[in-house]
Amino acid sequence: MKPHSDTAVPGARLDIVPLLVVPAVALAAVAFIPSLPTWVTLTVAGLAMGMMIFIMASGLTLVFGLMDVMNFAHGAFISVGAFVAASVLVPMKSSMQEPSALANLSAIAPAILAAMMVAGLLGWFFERVVIRPVYGDHLKQILVTMGGLIVAEQMIHVIWGPDVIPLPRPAFFSGAITFGEVAVERYRLLAVAVGIAVFAAMFLVLNRTRLGLLIRAGVENPEMVESLGYRIRRLFVGVFVAGSGLAGLGGVMWAMYQESVQSNMGMQMMVLIFIVIIIGGLGSVGGCFVGALLVGLVANYAGYLAPKLALGSNILLMVLILLWRPRGLYPIGKA
Amino acid sequence: MLALSGVNTHINLYHILQGVDLVVPRGELTMLLGRNGAGKTTTLRTIMGLWRASAGRIDLGGADIAGMATPSVAQLGVAYVPENMSIFAGLTVRENLLLAARERSFDESRLARIFKLFPAMQKFWNSLAGNLSGGQKQMLAISRAIVEPRRLLLIDEPTKGLAPAIIANMIEAFRELKLETTILLVEQNFNVARELGDSVAVMDSGRVVHSGRMADLARDEALQTRLLGLSLDSHQ
């Protein structure tokens, strides 16, 4: 028997209004930025920054949605990922300095793989040892994960030393491509491409696979997922490890963007990451994506127009969005 | 099929179930009645493993399931329809049912049966579950429980807040369902209980205070008043 497709009830349609806010913000900025090439440069920079924040934040929003865990130690996975990548990339300096994209990628790929694996393993350890005893208690979660972040930072000092490690960008992805008067940094285009690839992969997994169906259901109502016979704890751990691995990837991208690695880089990013996942709607990957792009754009426009307001601009953005949609751009209907 | 003996459940500091003894015969629909706060929902949740029994035995087909994790209880063929339905609002009707189909695909004949029992499920197949009406959500919750063959259905107040026409639809559905499986159904509406129940257990203060045949309780107004604080006349 074939189900009907005609329906009086709205189907699974995408709410495009929050999505339109991104181009709306970008277009609104044209009015304040006198030069078009500057606007293009700032917009690409904002999108690249947004993509990198998305990569770092996407795992955390899923962890919060699925496990109801406030994990401030997520920043540790970002820092550790960056340091592991630096350890791989420093000995491969010659490949990084060659002008060939293939040679650069042959160094970057193992560095990213190592960073994601170590960050994922650290995530697994963290879930078992630090977070598992405090499930369901937000206050304790904040305390132990903040403590975990501090311990992880100190461990980085012990292993890699307290100094900032320079991490030059790969030669092929250094410099800019110019279109007339518009100059766009190559690395930013790479960041946009990686961000889109991560979003597309997460979108496909969440919307086209049974695992994704389970994760979406688990974010809404983990108890009912268990009642259907699925071991949600295993799903929790899997998502936590994957989210930690993505944080590691984000750390590598961000470190190459900043051209240096330092132990507190993860902690510094946590403010922006929390703003992004709150704006997006806790637990929503799509919301996290849109929120990250908005934060990236606003930070860059504000940094150009009113540098002193740069960080405050994102808090203002969060306030405005929460006034409009109190549960974020794409709220998850939690049970 | 299912037998609880001396089951105790504590929730935080509260001692909710205080030695529940209950038998649910195979192939029957057993009504679990009682005033608000008597422990009916806690009994279902304890059977399902959502609350841990602190003492006592829960025997399902010869195996003690007290202390088993919820997924293990579900894998033994027990389906649970909670009072709040707990449908996944952000998933479509199809996706809600697909999650419950542990064989990863639908049994076409069972799907056809669900569509016959609840035509709205077919009509709103690709609609978001969160956009369904209250009655349709309840139909979805029950459909999810029967999308695969189950040994035991635990259903908590399925008619609560529903319009009379939908309640009639539910009664018809349960009549069909009890032909193929064992059901333990919590219900506040005595007329529904009288229509459907083969056997009955009445709870009060965390214990089963009466068990027997539903028809006997339906005939005995004095017993109803004593156990449930109601007379059938008030529910006509």
Side-chain angles (χ1 to χ4, degrees), chain A residues 259-289:
Chain A
E259 299 191 78
S260 66
V261 184
Q262 50 191 319
S263 61
N264 64 350
M265 61 182 282
M267 192 182 267
Q268 287 172 355
M269 293 307 295
M270 285 311 288
V271 175
L272 282 182
I273 288 172
F274 272 112
I275 289 174
V276 162
I277 65 173
I278 290 167
I279 285 177
L282 296 166
S284 163
V285 171
C288 177
F289 185 71

Side-chain angles (χ1 to χ4, degrees), chain A residues 30-84:
Chain A
V30 177
F32 299 98
I33 298 167
S35 143
L36 190 65
T38 307
W39 176 81
V40 174
T41 303
L42 287 172
T43 303
V44 174
L47 292 176
M49 181 182 170
M51 291 293 185
M52 284 183 276
I53 298 172
F54 165 71
I55 296 169
M56 289 183 258
S58 54
L60 186 62
T61 198
L62 271 183
V63 164
F64 189 89
L66 192 62
M67 304 157 81
D68 201 21
V69 168
M70 307 269 279
N71 181 20
F72 282 76
H74 195 74
F77 311 141
I78 294 170
S79 304
V80 166
F83 273 92
V84 169

Side-chain angles (χ1 to χ4, degrees), chain B residues 192-203:
Chain B
V192 173
R194 188 181 55 175
E195 288 267 336
L196 286 171
D198 299 310
S199 51
V200 63
V202 181
M203 292 191 73

Side-chain angles (χ1 to χ4, degrees), chain B residues 64 95 121 153 208:
Chain B
D64 185 7
E95 288 173 329
M121 296 301 98
L153 299 183
V208 172

Side-chain angles (χ1 to χ4, degrees), chain A residues 2 216 220 223 229-231, chain B residues 45 72 75 89-90 99 122:
Chain A
K2 291 273 181 269
R216 284 189 290 144
E220 271 195 48
E223 185 179 278
Y230 299 98
R231 297 189 184 280
Chain B
R45 289 178 62 85
S72 305
Q75 284 161 15
L99 263 186
Q122 187 176 13

Side-chain angles (χ1 to χ4, degrees), chain B residues 118 133-136 138-139 158-159 162-171:
Chain B
F118 306 120
S133 70
Q136 288 160 350
Q138 188 61 268
M139 291 172 194
T159 64
L162 300 185
I166 297 173
I167 292 177
N169 186 195
M170 289 283 168
I171 291 174

Side-chain angles (χ1 to χ4, degrees), chain A residues 133-296:
Chain A
V134 293
Y135 273 126
D137 189 332
H138 284 154
L139 182 61
K140 283 184 183 168
Q141 284 166 12
I142 292 168
L143 291 173
V144 301
T145 58
M146 276 302 290
L149 177 58
I150 293 165
V151 169
E153 267 192 35
Q154 296 309 308
M155 288 304 292
I156 287 172
H157 284 179
V158 170
I159 297 169
W160 283 282
D163 298 331
V164 174
I165 299 176
L167 189 67
R169 288 183 197 168
F172 182 81
F173 296 102
S174 300
I177 302 171
T178 51
F179 306 95
E181 290 181 34
V182 176
V184 176
E185 279 189 39
R186 287 180 174 184
Y187 187 77
R188 287 176 176 161
L189 293 177
L190 176 70
V192 170
V194 173
I196 289 173
V198 169
F199 178 68
M202 289 185 83
F203 183 84
L204 286 175
V205 168
L206 286 172
N207 293 288
R208 297 280 183 272
T209 68
R210 192 173 179 86
L211 175 66
L213 191 59
L214 266 173
I215 292 172
R216 284 189 290 144
V219 167
E220 271 195 48
N221 190 340
E223 185 179 278
M224 196 61 223
V225 171
E226 288 223 300
S227 297
L228 292 174
Y230 299 98
R231 297 189 184 280
I232 198 91
R233 184 73 74 187
R234 288 182 193 164
L235 194 64
F236 282 177
V237 176
V239 168
F240 200 93
V241 169
S244 309
L246 279 173
L249 169 62
V252 180
M253 297 298 297
W254 189 250
M256 284 199 281
Y257 182 62
Q258 302 281 60
E259 299 191 78
S260 66
V261 184
Q262 50 191 319
S263 61
N264 64 350
M265 61 182 282
M267 192 182 267
Q268 287 172 355
M269 293 307 295
M270 285 311 288
V271 175
L272 282 182
I273 288 172
F274 272 112
I275 289 174
V276 162
I277 65 173
I278 290 167
I279 285 177
L282 296 166
S284 163
V285 171
C288 177
F289 185 71
V290 176
L293 294 184
L294 281 174
V295 163

